[in-house]
Amino acid sequence: MEQFLKEIILEAGQMTLDFRVRLGELNVKHKMDKDLVSEADVAVENFLVGLIQKRYPDHAIFGEESGQHTGGEYRWIIDPIDGTTSFVHGQPYYSISIALEQAGKTILAAVNAPALGELFTARLGYGAYLNGSPIHVSSRTQLSDSVMATGFACIRGHSSFTNLPIFNQLVPILRDVRRYGSAAVDLCYTACGRMEGFWELNLKIYDVAAGALILHEAGGRFSDFSGGTGQLSHEVLGTNGHIHEQVMDVIVRALKDIDHKSQD
Ligand code: 2AM
Ligand code: CA
């Protein structure tokens, strides 16, 4: 299944590169006012679902664009283009993200960022890889030496509770913050040590399922804001592990501030 996953995700990546050549002609619709879906998202998901159903007809599939396809013990979780806004704007920070669960546990993952020429893969218990070479999280331990990424799905999703209070607390104490636009890429960049962590609110399981295994297999930590797994993917914190507790402390402080303000 690992080889099959690599083959289909590379083909899907090539499809997005072909769409990218004619971006101006692409049919782009609004799911909600800021939430885009392009013709490419739908075509890539249909392509992947078709190949999986043909090869593994008894497997379940959950895709961002087509929802649930029921099945047995195995379930494929697909985000055909994670970072649709980046993709539609011709930026390279988007990815195809695929995770395979067995009995509810992710056992295989791949994130392909074709415009960056990077394929991240992991198998539970066997490490994480970038273009076939092993990867590991960074060893930085201080927030002042750390770069983190975030995103604002909460704002696009019209959530009344947003990421901004946490952002305001973290920006001054981190070395810097990045906003690449693909949660899957953010988790993989943390996994390969290019930055120390990523946090976001209001994501969906298909945004983070593959990246979470890749980060875990690269030695990192993935949890909700309390250090557990109860709120995933609503609260996402993925780090190199060394800064995890410190970031959680800052987030708890930011959330307390909001509570106090709402009581004033
Ligand atoms: P997408 O491009 O597949 O929508 C960036 O902030 C991250 O948030 C991306 O992984 C993006 O995935 C996701 N995202 C943005 N808006 C979202 C929404 N309304 N619901 C869930 N995920 C969203
Ligand atoms: Ca997504």
Side-chain angles (χ1 to χ4, degrees), residues 32 35 64 79 81-85 151-153 156-157 179 181-184 200 202-204 206-207:
M32 287 194 291
D35 212 356
E64 171 161 11
D79 194 338
I81 299 186
D82 185 49
T84 302
T85 303
F152 297 92
R156 278 167 58 187
R179 200 276 189 253
S182 162
E200 189 158 353
N202 284 79
L203 293 176
K204 299 277 165 45
Y206 42 72
D207 298 315

Side-chain angles (χ1 to χ4, degrees), residues 138-183:
S138 78
S139 56
R140 291 192 174 91
T141 58
Q142 304 297 314
L143 293 184
S144 55
D145 296 330
S146 296
V147 172
M148 289 185 75
T150 189
F152 297 92
C154 46
I155 291 171
R156 278 167 58 187
H158 299 284
S159 170
S160 54
F161 175 54
T162 77
N163 189 12
L164 291 171
I166 300 172
F167 184 82
N168 287 342
Q169 292 271 343
L170 277 170
V171 170
I173 54 179
L174 291 167
R175 172 168 287 162
D176 211 340
V177 173
R178 293 288 179 270
R179 200 276 189 253
Y180 293 115
S182 162

